[in-house]
């Protein structure tokens, strides 16, 4: 029987459309091989949407996402839109998509591929074998807490305010994702907070502790965020799964990504309640400096397709097929500029796509 899925494509800005084209080719081919049929609808987000409609997340885009089974996003932003007021910036479109689809759980893997180990800025023996999953809460915390804004005090001084807040239920649902993710991996979960200073973190820690009784087979630890940042760079292999709030997760996932030295290789998944569409996107940005030049590395976008198949559409075999193909093209020596090293074959975005298709057809 053929399974059918509706996918919304959000190429966004910069290199987005180039890497998306490769990802769609790969998805269609792997789909054929696994009896999966996809229908695609493209929609605007970010700068492209601002230029066309004046807003970074048009209502039609959110509606298209809502009626699909999964959303594949490339990247948003660029110099052109950097100086617009906050409500019209590309980032606001991304935050609107996250809250509009209720995407409270963000999975960001940071895996060192043996073929690219020299790309890391850390010593080989420190990073060899690193395989971390950061589970970041994505629709709460200081990003969305109220009150927020720039107000005037009684003395007429300006005062900027954001609020870091989590309800117990918001913590519980992300804790669950954290424990379940750890369970499927090596069974170790490190919760990161700032409970020595912040009340919101104390509640976070209490709820995580309470949840741990449901997962006796998961080994739980806690770290303060400053220490976690230090440990990530000092001895990253101690980590398996990390669960943390929105802002800490933003920062730590960038640090974890950089352990690999190849941000062009890292995918992510943003998930809501079961049955609602997730958003799958590379960790890297829109790279406006190389847009339109066939230089972008499409592999993070392709691995985002694999995450979509695994976490969004429950098609692990098709997901594995893609992950294996990516390993294979690296083994064959194909490299885009960002991961190039001596003796390897330099290819562009399209060339990498062709290499992938060839491997997948074998
Ligand atoms: C990320 C980005 C976003 C965030 C920005 C672009 C709004 O840094 O996805 O990590 O802060 O969440
Ligand atoms: Mg970030």
């Amino acid at each position: 029987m053929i399974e059918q899925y509706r996918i919304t494509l959000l190429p966004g800005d910069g290199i987005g459309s180039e890497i998306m084209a490769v990802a769609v080719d790969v998805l269609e081919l792997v789909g054929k091989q696994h009896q999966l049929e996809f229908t695609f609808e493209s929609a605007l987000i970010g700068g492209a949407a601002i230029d066309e409609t004046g807003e970074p997340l048009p209502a039609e885009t959110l509606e298209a996402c809502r009626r699909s089974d999964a959303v594949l996003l490339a990247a948003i932003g660029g110099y052109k839109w950097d100086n617009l007021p906050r409500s019209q910036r590309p980032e606001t479109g991304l935050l609107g998509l996250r809250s509009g689809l209720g995407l409270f759980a963000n999975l960001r893997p940071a895996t060192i591929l043996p073929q690219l180990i020299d790309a890391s800025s850390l010593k080989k023996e420190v990073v060899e074998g690193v395989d971390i999953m950061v589970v970041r809460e994505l629709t709460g915390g200081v990003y969305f807490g109220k009150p927020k804004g720039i107000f005037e005090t009684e003395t007429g001084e300006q005062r900027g305010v954001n609020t870091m807040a989590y309800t117990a239920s918001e913590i519980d649902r992300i804790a669950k994702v954290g424990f379940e993710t750890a369970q499927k991996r090596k069974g170790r979960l490190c919760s990161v907070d700032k409970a020595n200073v912040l009340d919101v973190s104390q509640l976070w820690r209490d709820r995580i502790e309470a949840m741990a009784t449901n997962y006796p087979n998961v080994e739980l630890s806690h770290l303060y965020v400053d220490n976690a940042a230090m440990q990530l760079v000092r001895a990253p292999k101690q980590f398996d799964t990390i669960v943390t709030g929105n802002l800490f997760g933003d920062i730590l996932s960038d640090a974890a990504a950089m352990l690999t030295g190849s941000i062009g290789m890292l995918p992510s998944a943003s998930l809501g309640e079961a049955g609602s569409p997730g958003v799958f996107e590379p960790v890297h940005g829109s790279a406006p400096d190389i847009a339109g030049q066939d230089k972008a590395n499409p592999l993070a976008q392709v691995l985002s397709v694999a995450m979509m198949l695994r976490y969004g559409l429950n098609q692990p075999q098709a997901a594995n097929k893609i992950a294996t193909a990516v390993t294979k093209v690296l083994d064959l020596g194909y490299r885009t500029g960002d991961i190039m090293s001596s003796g390897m074959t330099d290819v562009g975005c399209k060339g990498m796509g062709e290499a992938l298709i060839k491997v997948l057809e074998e």
Side-chain angles (χ1 to χ4, degrees), residues 22-324:
V22 172
V24 169
D25 285 350
V26 166
L27 179 58
E28 288 203 296
L29 176 57
V30 172
K32 274 195 205 107
Q33 296 169 333
H34 290 84
Q35 276 76 52
L36 314 174
E37 201 173 279
F38 300 98
T39 49
F40 299 104
E41 182 175 2
S42 288
L44 295 168
I45 191 169
I50 296 169
D51 287 350
E52 194 80 17
T53 69
E55 39 184 356
L57 181 67
E60 311 89 85
T61 296
L62 193 53
E63 277 155 30
C65 294
R66 283 198 174 121
R67 61 175 177 260
S68 63
D69 296 303
V71 179
L72 195 57
L73 170 67
I76 55 146
Y79 319 119
K80 187 176 167 193
W81 308 282
D82 272 351
N83 295 316
L84 291 170
R86 187 174 306 282
S87 67
Q88 290 163 35
R89 295 199 22 177
E91 289 85 347
T92 305
L94 190 58
L95 296 176
L97 185 68
R98 289 173 183 171
S99 60
L101 295 176
L103 305 170
F104 64 87
N106 184 213
L107 308 188
R108 298 188 166 184
T111 312
I112 296 267
L113 297 165
Q115 300 92 336
L116 301 180
I117 194 148
D118 293 324
S120 178
S121 54
L122 298 187
K123 289 196 199 91
K124 189 172 170 184
E125 55 274 25
V126 174
V127 291
E128 204 161 38
V130 160
D131 179 8
I132 302 172
M133 180 71 88
V134 179
V135 178
R136 169 189 177 192
E137 199 290 327
L138 203 59
T139 51
V142 71
Y143 272 54
F144 292 93
K146 300 230 171 79
K148 59 181 277 180
I150 300 171
F151 305 103
E152 207 165 288
T153 66
E154 280 168 13
T155 59
E157 191 188 4
Q158 279 190 308
R159 183 161 182 269
V161 179
N162 286 92
T163 304
M164 193 189 270
Y166 274 114
T167 61
S169 56
E170 284 175 322
I171 300 168
D172 290 353
R173 66 181 183 179
I174 192 70
K176 226 169 142 233
V177 176
F179 279 102
E180 279 165 16
T181 305
Q183 223 164 22
K184 289 186 207 135
R185 292 171 48 88
K186 296 195 198 94
R188 283 183 288 124
L189 181 65
C190 178
S191 170
V192 174
D193 62 38
K194 189 71 186 173
N196 51 343
V197 177
L198 302 175
D199 298 306
V200 54
S201 280
Q202 189 57 56
L203 181 64
W204 178 280
R205 195 172 278 222
D206 294 347
R207 301 303 300 191
I208 299 267
E209 277 293 330
M211 184 71 72
T213 56
N214 302 337
Y215 300 91
N217 51 351
V218 173
E219 188 192 311
L220 174 67
S221 60
H222 301 273
L223 283 181
Y224 299 135
V225 62
D226 47 351
N227 189 18
M230 187 165 79
Q231 297 301 332
L232 260 182
V233 200
R234 190 187 71 84
K237 273 182 255 185
Q238 69 186 283
F239 294 102
D240 171 30
T241 307
I242 292 175
V243 64
T244 189
N246 206 342
L247 179 62
F248 299 158
D250 179 43
I251 300 166
L252 293 181
S253 63
D254 265 22
M258 238 15 239
L259 294 173
T260 71
S262 38
I263 198 160
M265 296 295 303
L266 298 174
S268 73
S270 302
L271 308 170
E273 298 297 345
S276 70
V279 173
F280 303 85
E281 61 180 307
V283 165
H284 64 70
S286 61
D289 51 321
I290 57 163
Q293 299 169 38
D294 192 34
K295 284 185 183 163
N297 181 352
L299 293 179
Q301 187 74 58
V302 169
L303 290 170
S304 300
V305 170
M307 280 194 103
M308 178 176 90
L309 289 163
R310 191 181 311 280
Y311 295 98
L313 306 178
N314 198 19
Q315 295 291 347
Q317 284 169 345
N320 290 341
K321 178 101 200 245
I322 293 180
T324 307

Side-chain angles (χ1 to χ4, degrees), residues 344-356:
M344 299 296 144
T345 309
D346 199 349
V347 288
C349 183
K350 284 191 186 134
M352 187 61 97
E354 284 156 16
L356 274 170

